[in-house]
Amino acid sequence: MILSVSRRTDIPNYYSQWFINRLKEGYLYVKNPMNPHRISRVSLSPDTVDCMVFWTKNPLPMIDRLDCLGGYGYYFQFTLTGYGKDIEPGVPDKRKQMIGVFRRLSAKTGREKVIWRYDPIFFTDRYTPAYHIKAFGEIAESLQGYTDKVVISFMDLYAKAKRNMEGISVQGIEESRFYDFVSTLSGTARKNNMKIATCAEKIDLLSYGIGHNCCIDKELIEKITGSKIEVKKDKNQRKECGCVESIEVGTYDTCQNGCRYCYANESEKRVTHNSRLYDPHSPLLCGVVTEEDTVTERKVRSLKETQLSLFG
């Protein structure tokens, strides 16, 4: 199986000790977001976990714990944008801190294991196309040699994101300017020896050198683990999403980054409440098991191909 750690919250930043403890214990609990009284027990045996995909805006708290991941395949999706504290209030200063953290993580893991994400992109009076082009270029130059790939996307205003974005006037962009914009980003990525791809976007930008990305990427996982895997497209994601199947281990309304565009947090109040329930020694992230809950063992298995081929 492949673990997603996590689309719902920033585990490397805020809950890395919990996750390392769960690896040592060999299992964790995950609540069903549609029915929180249904809890899955997920085995974390290295025999069944083929790869772990970490999603984060600040992996610094986890960097010194990476040795605890020995025996597991893994890579990071590291979001590093040009937005300021008005949009990403919980993220440390990009120039002074986060570029250095990115480089340090890459140096420790290998650059193929750290994917740079510049997303989601949206436009306002402050964050104009020209602003993004400048910020993207500065970050790309700073990360040259520390990653092989950058992923971009354009903001979709889900219900939660709409609430969080109140007071921010998002602007559209003319079609001709849009294609000039993505062409410039593509050229910048290429200049800095990076592949560039979009995340879950319908639009075809291949003629601009921008492909469709698979964030949970079969090809990359096979490269990292050295094994072929048998896995299907994740039917629980959007049609445009290229990710393969994974098991999500995070919990909504627990990320303390406070990003205004976030779809995983309903409100700051809920995040504060849930974060207070955090216990690094609990099998459940930011919660406790009650008498009303039902815990069921989730059936998991390795996805590695075991059948020998005459042709390799």
Side-chain angles (χ1 to χ4, degrees):
M1 67 173 166
I2 301 164
L3 292 184
S4 173
V5 193
S6 150
R7 285 185 174 99
R8 298 171 182 168
T9 190
D10 195 333
I11 286 176
N13 192 358
Y14 299 104
Y15 307 114
S16 60
Q17 186 60 64
W18 171 81
F19 187 71
I20 297 301
N21 288 344
R22 298 328 308 151
L23 291 179
K24 291 177 181 177
E25 291 291 330
Y27 74 97
L28 55 75
Y29 287 171
V30 183
K31 283 189 175 184
N32 183 327
M34 306 305 294
N35 183 350
H37 292 301
R38 293 178 58 189
I39 297 174
S40 295
R41 184 185 189 276
V42 180
S43 169
L44 299 179
S45 166
D47 294 332
T48 56
V49 178
D50 300 301
C51 194
M52 302 181 291
V53 183
F54 295 101
W55 311 71
T56 186
K57 287 187 173 71
N58 181 11
L60 181 60
M62 195 171 188
I63 289 180
D64 290 333
R65 298 182 172 122
L66 291 178
D67 292 342
C68 297
L69 304 182
Y72 294 92
Y74 66 89
Y75 64 95
F76 283 80
Q77 299 275 348
F78 191 145
T79 300
L80 186 53
T81 72
Y83 298 117
K85 292 286 186 180
D86 56 328
I87 303 297
E88 297 176 344
V91 180
D93 187 273
K94 313 296 174 59
R95 287 192 182 92
K96 294 180 181 178
Q97 293 173 268
M98 299 319 302
I99 287 174
V101 170
F102 193 109
R103 289 172 169 176
R104 183 179 166 195
L105 178 65
S106 174
K108 189 157 187 175
T109 66
R111 67 187 189 186
E112 74 280 358
K113 289 188 177 181
V114 190
I115 311 299
W116 171 33
R117 302 184 68 92
Y118 189 95
D119 78 319
I121 297 171
F122 60 87
F123 306 111
T124 68
D125 285 339
R126 177 181 180 184
Y127 300 108
T128 62
Y131 179 101
H132 281 295
I133 287 170
K134 184 174 184 292
F136 185 89
E138 290 176 353
I139 297 171
E141 187 174 347
S142 298
L143 299 184
Q144 183 177 172
Y146 292 93
T147 186
D148 294 328
K149 190 175 191 179
V150 58
V151 177
I152 62 173
S153 72
F154 298 91
M155 187 176 65
D156 294 314
L157 279 175
Y158 298 103
K160 289 182 181 178
K162 282 184 179 180
R163 287 194 293 270
N164 295 333
M165 288 286 286
E166 285 182 5
I168 298 173
S169 180
V170 178
Q171 300 175 355
I173 183 173
E174 296 174 1
E175 184 174 335
S176 60
R177 291 187 67 203
F178 173 79
Y179 289 112
D180 287 343
F181 175 76
V182 296
S183 178
T184 301
L185 297 190
S186 179
T188 299
R190 186 168 57 253
K191 177 183 174 183
N192 289 282
N193 302 313
M194 301 173 191
K195 292 182 179 179
I196 184 170
T198 57
C199 174
E201 296 288 346
K202 293 180 182 179
I203 191 167
D204 184 355
L205 298 174
L206 197 57
S207 61
Y208 296 88
I210 303 175
H212 289 289
N213 191 56
C214 304
C215 300
I216 300 189
D217 186 342
K218 179 178 184 290
E219 184 177 328
L220 178 57
I221 290 169
E222 289 178 335
K223 180 180 178 181
I224 289 171
T225 62
S227 300
K228 294 287 185 180
I229 59 173
E230 298 180 76
V231 65
K232 299 177 182 178
K233 183 183 183 302
D234 194 336
K235 61 180 182 297
N236 294 316
Q237 301 301 323
R238 289 173 288 170
K239 179 182 177 182
E240 295 78 24
C241 178
C243 290
V244 296
E245 291 177 322
S246 64
I247 293 178
E248 171 62 49
V249 304
T251 302
Y252 287 119
D253 295 306
T254 58
C255 184
Q256 300 171 55
N257 287 328
C259 301
R260 297 289 297 274
Y261 51 75
C262 182
Y263 66 86
N265 287 344
E266 184 172 321
S267 68
E268 185 177 346
K269 183 177 180 180
R270 287 179 65 88
V271 173
T272 300
H273 170 78
N274 291 336
S275 299
R276 287 173 179 166
L277 299 176
Y278 173 57
D279 176 358
H281 301 289
S282 170
L284 195 63
L285 179 61
C286 296
V288 294
V289 180
T290 69
E291 293 179 355
E292 300 176 63
D293 297 329
T294 301
V295 179
T296 305
E297 187 79 23
R298 179 155 183 170
K299 293 181 180 180
V300 296
R301 63 177 181 84
S302 172
L303 303 170
K304 292 178 181 177
E305 294 182 0
T306 55
Q307 184 176 356
L308 295 176
S309 170
L310 292 175
F311 305 103

